[in-house]
Amino acid sequence: MALFAFSVAPMTGGESVSAAVAEAVRIVRESGLPNRTTAMFTEIEGDWDEVMPVIRAATDAVSAAGHRTSLVIKADIRPGAAPGQIDSKIARVEEHLAADDEQRGHS
């Protein structure tokens, strides 16, 4: 099991890359793998062999919009981890923050 965060965009002369990025996000969502998109990255969870072809297809789609493509990938590879880490990692941080707030007397 692994979590991947990636950012892919065409390197074009224009300012907006949102149409090309939207196509990449569509490919990720259609994969059926757990995912979320933020302003900076798209996160996707699954086995290496499941995720990498999705990232490749998303990159290929974006590459069609320009002659150069920027791709950044970060991975948290967790052999034996249970599925659902895309949400549970955030939940664990929120639990720590809530406990810290409670100890400090914040509500």
Side-chain angles (χ1 to χ4, degrees), residues 8 10 17-29 37 42 58 61-62:
V8 61
V17 296
S18 60
V21 171
E23 187 54 34
V25 171
R26 183 183 336 278
I27 289 167
V28 170
R29 290 180 179 174
T37 299
T42 294
V62 168

Side-chain angles (χ1 to χ4, degrees), residues 1-2 8 12 30 36 38 46 61 66-67 72-74 76 83-84 89 93 95 100:
M1 185 61 55
V8 61
T12 64
E30 288 176 352
R36 77 168 49 92
T38 64
H67 68 283
V72 176
I73 302 174
K74 181 171 172 124
D76 179 0
K89 282 184 74 171
V93 170
E95 288 172 8
D100 288 348

Side-chain angles (χ1 to χ4, degrees):
M1 185 61 55
L3 291 171
F4 295 84
F6 77 101
S7 174
V8 61
M11 297 177 70
T12 64
E15 291 205 17
S16 179
V17 296
S18 60
V21 171
E23 187 54 34
V25 171
R26 183 183 336 278
I27 289 167
V28 170
R29 290 180 179 174
E30 288 176 352
S31 75
L33 296 172
N35 67 85
R36 77 168 49 92
T37 299
T38 64
M40 296 291 293
F41 287 95
T42 294
E43 298 172 5
I44 184 169
E45 179 179 23
D47 292 328
W48 184 271
D49 292 337
E50 294 175 304
V51 173
M52 291 310 288
V54 176
I55 293 174
R56 172 80 187 257
T59 302
D60 288 346
V62 168
S63 294
H67 68 283
R68 293 177 64 191
T69 304
S70 171
L71 173 65
V72 176
I73 302 174
K74 181 171 172 124
D76 179 0
I77 302 166
R78 301 173 145 228
Q85 295 300 309
I86 198 167
D87 294 319
S88 63
K89 282 184 74 171
I90 294 169
R92 288 190 298 272
V93 170
E94 292 296 336
E95 288 172 8
H96 284 286
L97 291 170
D100 288 348
D101 284 347
E102 189 173 303
Q103 285 180 341
R104 294 178 183 168
H106 298 116
S107 355

